[in-house]
Amino acid sequence: MTAFTTRPEIKGTFGVVTSTHWIATAVGMRMLELGGNAFDAAVATGLVLQVVEPHLNGPGGDLPILLHNASQNETKVLCAQGPAPAAATIGHYRSENLDLIPGNGLLATVIPGAFDGWMLLLRDHGTLSLRTVLEPAIHYANQGHPLLPRVSATITGLKDFFETEWPTSYQTWVPGGAVPKADSIFKNPVLAETWSRLLQEAETQFVRERQIDAARDCFYRGFIAEEIGNYLKTAEVMDGSGARHKAVLSTDDLSGYSATYEDPVSASYKGWTVLKTGPWGQGPVLLQSLSLLRGFDLESLDPSGPEFVHLVTEAMKLAFADREAYYGDPDFCDVPLNVLLSDDYNAARRSLISEIASADLLPGTIPGFETQVQRTLEVINGAGISESGVYEPTMAHLSEKRGDTVHIDVIDRWGNIVSATPSGGWLQSSPIIPGLGFALNSRAQMYWLQDGLPGSLAPGKRPRTTLTPSIAFHEDGTALAFGTPGGDQQDQWQLALFLRLVHHEGNLQAALDMPLFHTTHFPASFHPRQRQPGHIMAEESFGADTLASLRKQGHSVEVADAWTIGRLTVAARDPGGLLRAGATPRLMQAYAAGR
């Protein structure tokens, strides 16, 4: 019998929804109750998350989706990660006296992809009307929602900056000149009006699919694009570089954009096939970590013991080192994924894992890529070493001023599955666009401003993002959908969860409740791109003995308070049709529902 869990594992046969905010989860369940499918539920959930977690995502953000269409028995990636604008060249940024792209402001913006991604999912796979899935977001923007304490704290930390430098954000987030208090009812009427106008224009069409395409046109070629373009023509705002800069994004960039479908990348592990995005995201690092760990007997280890933490961490160090050397938009660079995920390559890499923690960043050298690997290491070394964490603040102890991400997993009674990780367009990423009520993203900070790297900036190129949803299928027919916010930690926490589910704990909630850890041994994907060699952050709930053992093995252990790392959610469908779901209790926001 499973020991005490912080929440029950949700079980049913009708449908399950789990997300990083309880209101969004409830909205997703309502879509299922109305007769919608998992795709309808995911879209409505995602649009509401933009309203209730504005410090973590927004309409101007990014979106990767893994989706399984049961009627077609097909799993696809829906890529709504916008690429760099046409004017976003290394030469332009260098002319602005920059060595790194700032972590916020207008220079950090790529084409916003999230809205087109949600609309494409709804049009091609959903069944409900645009009005049905959009009305909950309009309601919470117009009528208000209880403001999360973390949102209030974020606004508090930025109030003076907004007032001085980003007055349009001050008007939205500090209404009447007072920071909204935690749990007060917060409204964004301008955003509500934006969506209402979009809906009104879309409904001049009378066929469902044409309405949805009309909504896409409103955003990328209609009044929303015009408002964005008009603001960016003259706006010159302060950013993290300490100087004011103009944007490179234009209405021409918006007008030519569309989200796309592609095949997922996969790897097998212990009877499971795990599916991830391509190397324009970091998802394949989880697959490579599994390939490295295939040579160890994890089943015999305590999933909260030092041996488990050590082996998983050392495998991730190697996989993430390869991420730095090889990953990028495969439309622009050759990414040797077949080699990186191969048995022979990982058998050789596995031999680098010893009983002692590695302090070195060790990408593998694949023939033909020697210069690229060397160049990568030179650039990384130039970014330097961090004395403190420089990653996204999913964990409560990090800065309230940095943005983050949300996550959604949905499975319906027909076996349709969605795993989505929306992000970007945070309230702290860039100024609110006047008349629209939302901000643009800051994803361009993930490019390097040095030539010759897979992650080098180029017009039309997707940034090598950290957003990484997951779907996995067992040979017995079991399906899993899982993910988390957390930047570079996303695949690290997902890896620990998946391994525990495979080897140690079948109860989803019990696996979610286990203590978490991650390493910042490799460079951050976010400004200022530094790293902490040999570092592990681990929750104190691992216990003093485990933490002491890790230190003896050479890990630089930073202890986090219990229940402060990660925001994992997971949903499952068993072969007989039983649906299950769970959500982490950490940060006391994520929630699973189902029946």
Side-chain angles (χ1 to χ4, degrees):
M1 182 177 178
T2 300
F4 172 82
T5 57
T6 57
R7 299 169 179 181
E9 180 186 60
I10 301 299
K11 298 185 181 75
T13 57
F14 178 77
V16 290
V17 180
T18 181
S19 83
T20 49
H21 196 291
W22 66 89
I23 289 177
T25 294
V27 167
M29 275 305 299
R30 172 161 171 73
M31 298 301 113
L32 296 181
E33 299 287 358
L34 290 173
N37 59 25
F39 311 113
D40 298 307
V43 174
T45 302
L47 293 171
V48 167
L49 284 172
Q50 294 173 357
V51 177
V52 299
E53 294 196 272
H55 60 317
L56 306 180
N57 77 136
D62 332 274
L63 173 66
I65 303 172
L66 273 167
L67 64 102
H68 178 73
N69 189 307
S71 65
Q72 300 172 9
N73 192 28
E74 183 176 59
T75 307
K76 286 287 189 180
V77 172
L78 199 165
C79 176
Q81 173 55 66
T89 64
I90 290 177
H92 174 75
Y93 284 78
R94 289 292 188 182
S95 72
E96 298 284 335
N97 298 314
L98 295 170
D99 296 320
L100 290 170
I101 297 176
N104 59 15
L106 298 179
L107 275 180
T109 295
V110 300
I111 300 171
F115 185 77
D116 203 61
W118 286 129
M119 292 300 100
L120 203 61
L121 182 69
L122 181 66
R123 187 196 70 181
D124 295 347
H125 301 279
T127 60
L128 298 179
S129 70
L130 175 63
R131 175 173 290 276
T132 301
V133 300
L134 187 54
E135 277 189 329
I138 295 174
H139 169 81
Y140 285 110
N142 195 41
Q143 300 300 317
H145 56 92
L147 192 71
L148 292 168
R150 287 176 65 81
V151 180
S152 178
T154 300
I155 297 170
T156 299
L158 291 165
K159 175 180 178 291
D160 292 343
F161 177 80
F162 282 170
E163 185 173 17
T164 303
E165 302 294 347
W166 294 2
T168 57
S169 293
Y170 187 82
Q171 293 166 10
T172 298
W173 305 115
V174 193
V179 173
K181 295 181 180 179
D183 298 321
S184 64
I185 302 302
F186 182 81
K187 303 174 183 179
N188 187 345
V190 179
L191 178 60
E193 177 57 31
T194 296
W195 290 148
S196 295
R197 179 179 171 185
L198 175 141
L199 187 57
Q200 183 179 16
E201 293 194 15
E203 288 182 337
T204 59
Q205 300 292 322
F206 298 103
V207 177
R208 176 183 176 275
E209 289 76 13
R210 290 181 180 176
Q211 285 185 358
I212 295 168
D213 280 337
R216 299 169 70 197
D217 284 340
C218 281
F219 196 105
Y220 292 93
R221 290 160 286 278
F223 79 93
I224 292 177
E226 290 173 4
E227 293 285 356
I228 293 172
N230 289 338
Y231 174 68
L232 296 183
K233 282 178 184 176
T234 59
E236 188 170 3
V237 305
M238 181 66 70
D239 57 40
S241 71
R244 293 180 177 85
H245 293 103
K246 295 176 66 69
V248 292
L249 183 69
S250 72
T251 53
D252 287 342
D253 296 310
L254 292 164
S255 67
Y257 177 73
S258 176
T260 56
Y261 293 103
E262 59 187 58
D263 292 327
V265 177
S266 66
S268 60
Y269 182 82
K270 306 296 182 182
W272 288 87
T273 299
V274 186
L275 304 169
K276 302 290 286 186
T277 71
W280 53 267
Q282 71 176 5
V285 298
L286 187 146
L287 306 180
Q288 188 179 347
S289 297
L290 291 174
S291 297
L292 288 163
L293 291 166
R294 198 179 289 126
F296 298 99
D297 181 17
L298 296 182
E299 196 132 352
S300 66
L301 301 180
D302 176 358
S304 296
E307 295 87 355
F308 178 88
V309 176
H310 172 77
L311 284 175
V312 173
T313 298
E314 294 305 297
M316 292 190 302
K317 288 178 181 178
L318 295 173
F320 275 91
D322 281 345
R323 180 193 77 169
E324 295 304 309
Y326 295 105
Y327 288 20
D329 185 344
D331 293 339
F332 283 74
C333 55
D334 181 13
V335 184
L337 267 189
N338 289 341
V339 176
L340 293 171
L341 300 179
S342 68
D343 289 339
D344 289 347
Y345 179 80
N346 285 294
R349 298 283 279 157
R350 192 180 301 126
S351 67
L352 298 174
I353 299 176
S354 71
E355 293 298 313
I356 303 301
S358 173
D360 298 319
L361 191 69
L362 298 171
T365 301
I366 296 172
F369 291 85
E370 294 88 350
T371 301
Q372 178 176 302
V373 172
Q374 183 59 39
R375 179 72 175 134
T376 297
L377 291 173
E378 291 172 359
V379 171
I380 289 171
N381 290 334
I385 304 299
S386 174
E387 298 300 323
S388 61
V390 290
Y391 295 73
E392 287 188 294
T394 289
M395 295 83 70
H397 50 272
L398 295 186
S399 166
E400 298 282 4
K401 296 182 181 180
R402 298 176 67 84
D404 201 353
T405 304
V406 298
H407 187 77
I408 304 162
D409 296 305
V410 187
I411 306 179
D412 65 27
R413 61 189 184 273
W414 300 287
N416 297 308
I417 305 170
V418 177
S419 182
T421 311
S423 187
W426 315 307
L427 71 86
Q428 58 274 55
S429 64
S430 64
I432 289 287
I433 305 296
L436 295 181
F438 66 83
L440 298 173
N441 60 77
S442 56
R443 194 63 58 183
Q445 66 183 291
M446 295 178 155
Y447 297 109
W448 291 108
L449 294 179
Q450 289 81 14
D451 287 313
L453 304 177
S456 299
L457 174 66
K461 185 178 184 179
R462 290 171 289 184
R464 201 275 301 137
T465 180
T466 56
L467 307 175
T468 174
S470 301
I471 289 179
F473 296 100
H474 193 266
E475 57 193 15
D476 69 2
T478 301
L480 283 174
F482 54 102
T484 179
D488 295 281
Q489 294 96 340
Q490 289 181 28
D491 278 310
Q492 301 192 59
W493 299 331
Q494 290 182 64
L495 178 63
L497 172 68
F498 180 72
L499 291 170
R500 287 161 169 171
L501 288 171
V502 169
H503 292 295
H504 306 106
E505 178 55 68
N507 183 285
L508 301 181
Q509 192 62 48
L512 290 167
D513 287 350
M514 289 183 184
L516 282 171
F517 62 97
H518 63 265
T519 177
T520 54
H521 174 79
F522 49 87
S525 298
F526 298 85
H527 188 278
R529 312 300 301 272
Q530 295 179 326
R531 70 188 192 98
Q532 295 175 283
H535 172 270
I536 284 183
M537 178 176 282
E539 289 180 321
E540 64 181 2
S541 41
F542 275 105
D545 290 345
T546 290
L547 298 173
S549 294
L550 291 169
R551 289 190 175 98
K552 286 181 180 178
Q553 288 182 282
H555 296 281
S556 176
V557 180
E558 181 180 356
V559 180
D561 292 340
W563 308 111
T564 58
I565 293 180
R567 285 206 292 159
L568 287 157
T569 67
V570 58
R573 186 179 192 273
D574 296 342
L578 178 67
L579 304 178
R580 300 180 293 136
T584 183
R586 293 166 175 87
L587 300 190
M588 298 180 289
Q589 284 177 219
Y591 232 84
R595 70 171 179 85

